[in-house]
Amino acid sequence: MFQVRIHGRGGQGAVTAAEMLSVAAFKEGRHAQAFPSFGSERTGAPVVSFCRIADTEIRTREPVSAPDALIVLDPTLFHSVDVFQGLPETGYVLINSSRTFEELHIADFMKRFPFGHTHCVPATELARQHVGRPVPNAALLGGFAAITGQIRIESVLAAIRETFPGAIGEANARAAVAAYEHCLA
């Protein structure tokens, strides 16, 4: 089982990201589950969502305490939440930022992960460019597909288009492709 924990703030799409990731896994014939965990339901409040992907039925229901991958939609959470808690040194880290790990003051911590397992992606900027709104969730799923190899980009794009039909879905799909290419570059 591959477990993902997504940290964000209310309004950034952390819950929708987990749901789209699970839909992408279903499209590949795999088992998946997605669920949120949040306290106050207001814009800007910290939100955590989870996704599990497996080739067999998933029976566990508790929050993901030891994720295989971590997606951080808002790096300001580093100052208030231990987003890295439980992440093994073999894990993957994808951070929504146009800044470097050095600029985020986490470069030394990131050195413990294998090469290629950690990336910063300017997902908010990509979303603004392609969607016209600063919602980074769909773009980050493209980055997730690139760095983990757990899901194909085609499945991510299909899940995005299913979640957001029409022009909004196409715009989010373009943002996801841009993030995918950014991580592969």
Side-chain angles (χ1 to χ4, degrees):
M1 182 168 19
F2 193 88
Q3 300 186 98
V4 182
R5 193 169 64 214
I6 303 171
H7 290 270
R9 293 189 181 277
Q12 291 183 309
V15 174
T16 303
E19 291 169 357
M20 287 190 292
L21 188 55
S22 69
V23 169
F26 284 131
K27 292 194 174 295
E28 294 187 8
R30 300 176 76 190
H31 295 266
Q33 68 175 206
F35 55 98
S37 174
F38 45 84
S40 59
E41 299 177 25
R42 61 182 174 80
T43 301
V47 174
V48 181
S49 61
F50 310 96
C51 182
R52 290 187 174 98
I53 302 169
D55 294 324
T56 58
E57 185 178 346
I58 301 169
R59 294 183 180 262
T60 185
R61 298 283 184 247
E62 67 270 357
V64 174
S65 59
D68 298 294
L70 186 65
I71 300 174
V72 181
L73 279 71
D74 188 340
T76 65
L77 290 169
F78 296 155
H79 305 293
S80 58
V81 177
D82 184 5
V83 299
F84 299 109
Q85 182 179 9
L87 183 69
E89 291 184 5
T90 56
Y92 295 87
V93 179
L94 185 62
I95 300 172
N96 172 28
S97 182
S98 57
R99 298 166 66 192
T100 65
F101 293 137
E102 290 80 13
E103 292 169 325
L104 293 171
H105 306 288
I106 57 171
D108 287 338
F109 181 78
M110 289 298 143
K111 289 177 184 173
R112 69 181 65 191
F113 298 99
F115 179 78
H117 279 225
T118 60
H119 284 275
C120 283
V121 177
T124 297
E125 288 82 1
L126 293 173
R128 276 194 187 107
Q129 176 185 351
H130 293 282
V131 183
R133 294 185 58 223
V135 182
N137 59 348
L140 285 167
L141 294 184
F144 174 85
I147 70 169
T148 68
Q150 286 293 313
I151 293 290
R152 296 185 330 266
I153 187 65
E154 296 81 10
S155 302
V156 168
L157 299 178
I160 290 169
R161 290 177 177 125
E162 185 176 306
T163 303
F164 304 110
I168 297 294
E170 290 306 317
N172 275 288
R174 287 191 300 274
V177 168
Y180 179 83
E181 292 171 351
H182 177 88
C183 286
L184 292 179

